[in-house]
Each structure stands twice: as structure tokens, then as C-alpha cells.
Amino acid sequence: MLAAIVWQSFFFLLFALVACAFGVAVVISSNIVRMAFYLILSLGATAGLFFLAGADFVGSMQLMIYVGGTLVLLVFGVMLTAQSPFISMKTRGGEWILAAIVGGSLFAVLVNRIVTVADWYGPAVATAAATQTAARPAAMRRNNQEPAEASPVVLRDARTATRLGMALSGPRVDRLDQPNPILRRGMSSYLLPFEIVSVHLLVVLVGAAYLARTKKRARGTLGET
Amino acid sequence: MDLLSQPVGTMHFLLVGAVLFVCGAVCMATKRNALGVLMGIELVLNGANINFVAFANDTFRADTSFALGLDGHLIALFVIVLAAAEAAVALAITLNYYNNHATIDVDHAEELKG
């Protein structure tokens, strides 16, 4: 029984359930502090999903920037703005119904689109086709062989930090098999988007600091200024 | 379908991404707290990130003829950085709004109504 379990699928199921359950809990809860906590757990489980998908650098960045930075920012916002420690603003019932209808239909459309593409079912489809043609259980047991298991999924080398760094500065080592040299030149470097996003981050942080420290104005003079 | 004895594919990651996306959209629509709306935006961006990372991996597909490769990882990194920047600016705006109005109920922000 234990040998039949694909452990990648087991941990995927674990992280996916945690992420989805706490994502739903963020929606349902009306307590802003608990929402922040549920969001931390959901994003942490999402980082686990990134690790499982072979994107370990993105997963660690998710843990560092999102869980460690953005959510700390959000928690500070909660602490700086809440009048009482358990502030909660109730949503009216009609809004809940409308949002549930819209969200449910959106989810139905998304799931319908996701499930219809057979290529996204994963390597399991190819495995099932292979076992249907190749598996003859009686003959295999007579030959004293193991029954055909699900094929082992070999993730590519998961150390992506080096390849990401090289892709930022120039060569794309994961696309060296591209036969067309013109296309290979087009997918060369991420230096310009990286530069743009870093300057953007600097501008945004300066602007945020400026916005956050502007003086408190009286309520009546807002319209005139 | 017995998920535990089969390797996962792109579809499973996309389903998780869809759940997080819809949760974020509903959260943005229903929360009257400005910080709750921000958390909904974070959930939406994470759903998109899961999709990018899932499409980046070429072992998740039955036919591995095309995968995003490092493009997906880098787009996910850009999304994370932009989410951090957006959270900083939106938090500054929220703090300013709280200073002016002594509340963060988004229904009270009526000055920009035409």
C-alpha cells in the first residue's frame, strides 16, 4: 500500500488542501486579524506547491518576499488601522449571495476549461495508455515480475537558481535545443525587465513612504484643497 | 481517479490556482475592509503564480512538446515583486485614508464618486 503511493502526489494533495482550505477561510472569516493569519498559511502552502513543481527558487522567494515581507506589511497595516483588536465589518446577505453566484459561475467556467484539455492531465494519461497495452498481469506474475506501477516521475534538476541567474544575464540554458538561431536570440535575456521592475520597486517604495508620512488633514478641508 | 497512486499533472495545479483565484475575487467583492480587499488581491496573484509555475514544468504534461520553462519562473518572480510593490502603495493609501476618515470601510470612500 505504501509503495503504491506517489509521494509527490501525497504532498501535493496535502499542500493543495491546506492552500484551498485557508483560502476559503480568508473569504469566510470576517475578522481581519484571523484573515491575515489564514492568508499566511495559505501562501506558505502555495510555496510548498512551488517546491513540488520544481520551482524551488520561486518557492523560496515566495516564502521570503510574500510570507516574510508582504504579509508582515499587511499585519502592520491591520495593527495601525484597527480601532479595536477584533475589528470586523459584516457583509450584507445580499452581497454574499451575489458574490457566491458570480464566484461560483467563474469557478465553473475555469474548471470546465481546465478539465477539457487532455494534455494537462499529466503523465498519468501516458502511463495508463502504456499499461493498457503492456500490462498482462497473469503473464507478468508467471514471469515473477512486479506488476506495472505508475511510472516514476523524474522532475528535472530542481536547482533552478543558477539557471535563473544565467537567464537574467544572457544565456538561456534550458532552451539550448532551440534550432532556430533567431528565435534563440529572442529568448536571450531578462536583464531589461529585471531592471525595469527594480526601478519600479524603488519608485513605489519612495512613493509609499511619501504617502504614508503626509500630514493628517482636517476632515472639512478635504474638498477645498 | 485515484490521485495518490498517480503522478500529478498540470491540471491539478491549475485547479488549485482556480480555487485561489475565485477565493480572491470573492474576497475582493465582499470585504468592506480595505485590508481585506488587499488580501483578496494577494490571493488572486497567487492563483496566477501557481498557473505560471505549473506551465513552466514540462514533466507535468502528457505531451511534453511545449512548456514555458524558465519563462514561467521569471514571470512568477516578477508577479511576486509587483505584488510586494502594490501592497506597499495600497497600504500607504489605506493608512492615509484611515488618517483622514478614522475608518477603513471602503463604502465610506465617496469623494471620488462623480
Side-chain angles (χ1 to χ4, degrees):
Chain A
M1 177 60 198
L2 271 184
I5 292 180
V6 180
W7 287 103
Q8 193 208 6
S9 301
F10 174 76
F11 282 107
F12 169 80
L13 210 58
L14 184 69
F15 285 132
L17 283 182
V18 171
C20 293
F22 284 107
V24 173
V26 168
V27 177
I28 290 174
S29 169
S30 64
N31 185 335
I32 188 71
V33 184
R34 288 189 186 157
M35 276 176 63
F37 178 64
Y38 294 153
L39 192 63
I40 287 177
L41 290 181
S42 177
L43 297 191
T46 308
L49 287 180
F50 288 169
F51 285 124
L52 279 182
D56 56 346
F57 189 70
V58 181
S60 48
M61 280 303 113
Q62 165 101 359
L63 279 180
M64 284 165 62
I65 299 179
Y66 246 124
V67 186
T70 307
L71 279 177
V72 168
L73 210 63
L74 274 180
V75 170
F76 266 105
V78 169
M79 289 194 295
L80 285 173
T81 54
Q83 295 102 332
S84 61
F86 291 102
I87 183 170
S88 66
M89 297 178 188
K90 295 286 182 204
T91 312
R92 286 188 293 274
E95 290 178 352
W96 271 118
I97 293 172
L98 194 60
I101 290 173
V102 173
S105 50
L106 178 60
F107 186 67
V109 168
L110 284 178
V111 169
N112 184 24
R113 284 296 97 193
I114 289 169
V115 172
T116 44
V117 180
D119 189 26
W120 294 346
Y121 278 33
V125 173
T127 309
T131 45
Q132 270 178 8
T133 56
R136 296 172 204 85
M140 288 174 74
R141 278 193 207 103
R142 230 175 286 135
N143 291 341
N144 218 353
Q145 283 175 339
E146 290 283 316
E149 289 185 9
S151 75
V153 177
V154 182
L155 284 179
R156 281 194 323 199
D157 185 9
R159 291 185 290 268
T160 54
T162 312
R163 292 186 292 144
L164 276 175
M166 291 181 75
L168 277 178
S169 65
R172 288 286 303 271
V173 288
D174 64 329
R175 286 282 184 271
L176 287 180
D177 51 348
Q178 170 64 248
N180 193 342
I182 299 175
L183 285 182
R184 214 188 304 156
R185 208 185 311 144
M187 57 178 65
S188 66
S189 172
Y190 274 97
L191 198 58
L192 182 64
F194 184 73
E195 200 60 41
I196 288 174
V197 86
S198 55
V199 172
H200 173 86
L201 193 57
L202 176 69
V203 169
V204 153
L205 288 182
V206 170
Y210 173 72
L211 270 180
R213 69 178 292 277
T214 48
K215 285 204 191 98
K216 185 177 191 174
R217 277 181 293 190
R219 190 174 283 189
T221 61
L222 269 178
E224 296 132 27
T225 51
Chain B
M1 187 173 83
D2 190 7
L3 184 61
L4 278 184
S5 60
Q6 283 176 345
V8 292
T10 307
M11 184 186 71
H12 308 95
F13 280 84
L14 291 190
L15 284 177
V16 180
V19 169
L20 286 188
F21 185 90
V22 172
C23 280
V26 172
C27 190
M28 288 193 320
T30 57
K31 298 295 177 193
R32 301 174 62 209
N33 197 324
L35 290 168
V37 177
L38 265 182
M39 294 182 191
I41 294 174
E42 307 289 336
L43 274 181
V44 165
L45 291 173
N46 263 277
N49 258 351
I50 289 180
N51 287 7
F52 280 127
V53 169
F55 278 120
N57 198 326
D58 56 357
T59 55
F60 282 160
R61 318 184 71 163
D63 175 19
T64 62
S65 58
F66 176 73
L68 277 180
L70 284 184
D71 292 329
H73 293 183
L74 280 158
I75 293 170
L77 284 178
F78 287 150
V79 169
I80 289 176
V81 171
L82 288 182
E86 164 260 330
V89 165
L91 190 69
I93 291 175
T94 306
L95 283 182
N96 228 352
Y97 177 67
Y98 179 74
N99 279 340
N100 287 332
H101 294 258
T103 180
I104 46 173
D105 191 341
V106 289
D107 287 346
H108 290 164
E110 287 173 334
E111 280 134 6
L112 286 180
K113 270 187 187 171

